């Protein structure tokens, strides 16, 4: 079986979904899950947690960086089967509930199916629930500012742009930051490897996403955990610099 999880720092793990990443924080027997993959990724999330010696019931809460289908996927399953609550920023709640739409459309994706790689990605995400509407009626806003009282003690960082209510999460004790889709290191629709923004058609506002990098660059975080691509270990400042340089290069094309 493909290994779907890896430890990236003390009590911090990544879980690989269908071309998307999730992050698991551990404090004793209690867990916080950040993001929930696609609808079809629910089983592999459960399997990864069990492989780490835990039960899905050990998840205290799921935190959501943003409400795109590849991040909300298993939220309803986890709530219905285990009673696990989900939280996101107050601005992102209407998006998660399906009351507004800030994501690429199927036509946007179809236009980018230019080679075997992107076609393979489209097939994988379709099988994982990419065409399935998945609103999250039980989503709640963060109930406090600053560090959250959850395993791993994540601190939400407002990074609007990819969506209006997008959040990153600073993990101060681990010296890490979960960047969601504000900053990634790879994507099947991008030929570039390394810190970057997602292609414009994925972003509600690419200029705002670039501005949001300012909230990340000064964090004390040597480890960058993106929503797509491999972890980056040269620090968030270096990651932001490279993402900006790549964005400037893309604009000149």
């Amino acid at each position: 079986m493909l290994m779907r999880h890896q430890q990236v720092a003390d009590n911090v793990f990544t879980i690989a979904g269908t071309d998307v990443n999730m992050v698991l924080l551990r404090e004793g027997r209690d867990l916080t899950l950040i993001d929930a993959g696609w609808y079809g990724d629910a089983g592999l999330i459960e399997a990864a947690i069990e492989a780490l010696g835990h039960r899905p019931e050990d998840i205290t809460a799921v935190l959501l960086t943003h409400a795109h289908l590849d991040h909300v996927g298993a939220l309803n399953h986890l709530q219905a089967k285990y009673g696990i609550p989900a939280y996101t920023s107050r601005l992102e709640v209407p998006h998660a509930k399906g009351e507004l739409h800030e994501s690429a459309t199927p036509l946007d994706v179809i236009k980018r199916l230019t080679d075997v790689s992107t076609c393979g990605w489209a097939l994988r995400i379709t099988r994982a629930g990419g065409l399935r509407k998945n609103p999250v009626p039980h989503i709640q806003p963060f109930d406090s500012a600053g560090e959250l009282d959850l395993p791993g003690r994540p601190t939400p960082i407002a990074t609007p742009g990819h969506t209006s209510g997008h959040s990153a999460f600073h993990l101060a004790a681990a010296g890490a930051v979960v960047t969601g889709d504000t900053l990634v290191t790879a994507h099947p629709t991008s030929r570039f490897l390394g810190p970057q923004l997602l292609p414009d058609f994925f972003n509600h506002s690419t200029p705002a996403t670039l501005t949001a990098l300012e909230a990340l660059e000064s964090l004390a975080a040597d480890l960058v955990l993106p929503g797509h691509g491999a972890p980056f270990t040269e620090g968030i400042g270096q990651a932001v610099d490279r993402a900006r340089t790549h964005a400037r290069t893309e604009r000149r094309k």
Side-chain angles (χ1 to χ4, degrees), residues 94-196:
H95 191 193
K97 289 186 174 182
E99 297 168 1
L100 57 85
H101 182 82
E102 291 185 352
S103 59
T105 67
L107 180 59
D108 290 326
V109 173
I110 289 169
K111 289 177 180 178
R112 274 79 183 180
L113 301 184
T114 57
D115 55 27
V116 172
S117 176
T118 52
C119 288
W121 164 74
L123 180 60
R124 290 191 299 274
I125 66 170
T126 298
R127 288 173 173 170
L131 298 179
R132 180 190 182 102
K133 292 183 179 180
N134 197 12
V136 186
H138 67 281
I139 196 81
Q140 301 174 63
F142 304 133
D143 59 4
S144 65
E147 184 180 274
L148 298 176
D149 186 19
L150 291 172
R153 309 299 164 181
T155 298
I157 307 294
T159 51
H162 182 67
T163 66
S164 294
H166 190 289
S167 297
F169 295 96
H170 186 211
L171 313 177
V177 59
V178 180
T179 56
D181 285 3
T182 294
L183 185 152
V184 303
T185 58
H187 194 271
T189 60
S190 170
R191 298 184 183 277
F192 178 72
L193 287 177
Q196 60 188 287

Side-chain angles (χ1 to χ4, degrees), residues 177 179 183 213 215-225 232-242:
V177 59
T179 56
L183 185 152
L213 296 177
L216 300 176
E217 62 184 330
S218 62
L219 294 174
D222 292 329
L223 178 62
V224 179
L225 302 175
F232 182 77
T233 58
E234 298 176 44
I236 186 62
Q238 183 65 232
V240 167
D241 286 345
R242 294 191 190 182

